[in-house]
Amino acid sequence: MLDGAEDGAYNRLHDEMEDAGFDRTVRAANGKAFHLPPGEYSYTGWGGATDVRDCVWPIIRSMWPGNAGVLVTTSQHCAWYGFDEADE
């Protein structure tokens, strides 16, 4: 979450995160994609949580030198309800 961030700031963040290989969707076992909540991203690729954090932190700090945070977790499986289906 970015304290005091406006919609335009989040749009810029989304662009930067997408350029770095992150997604704003999660894919179900049936192949359908669903939108993640605002400010959350999905990534499948190299490295562990520390590597991903170290990739994301400079993006965040370059845009918001103030109060911002990053939390990275790893997951083998996930389950959800209530996410909107993404158009593909």
Side-chain angles (χ1 to χ4, degrees), residues 22 43-56 71-75:
F22 292 84
Y43 177 79
T44 302
W46 61 269
T50 302
D51 297 311
V52 173
R53 180 206 60 201
D54 292 348
C55 173
V56 171
L71 171 68
V72 176
T73 63
T74 60
S75 174

Side-chain angles (χ1 to χ4, degrees), residues 10-68:
Y10 269 106
N11 289 337
R12 185 172 159 218
L13 173 64
H14 299 326
D15 291 343
E16 293 286 332
M17 293 294 285
E18 183 177 289
D19 288 347
F22 292 84
D23 249 330
R24 292 173 56 199
T25 60
V26 63
R27 194 162 299 278
N30 66 4
K32 292 183 180 179
F34 293 85
H35 292 287
L36 289 169
E40 291 193 23
Y41 298 88
S42 166
Y43 177 79
T44 302
W46 61 269
T50 302
D51 297 311
V52 173
R53 180 206 60 201
D54 292 348
C55 173
V56 171
W57 188 239
I59 295 170
I60 301 298
R61 296 305 287 174
S62 72
M63 290 187 240
W64 296 278
N67 192 13

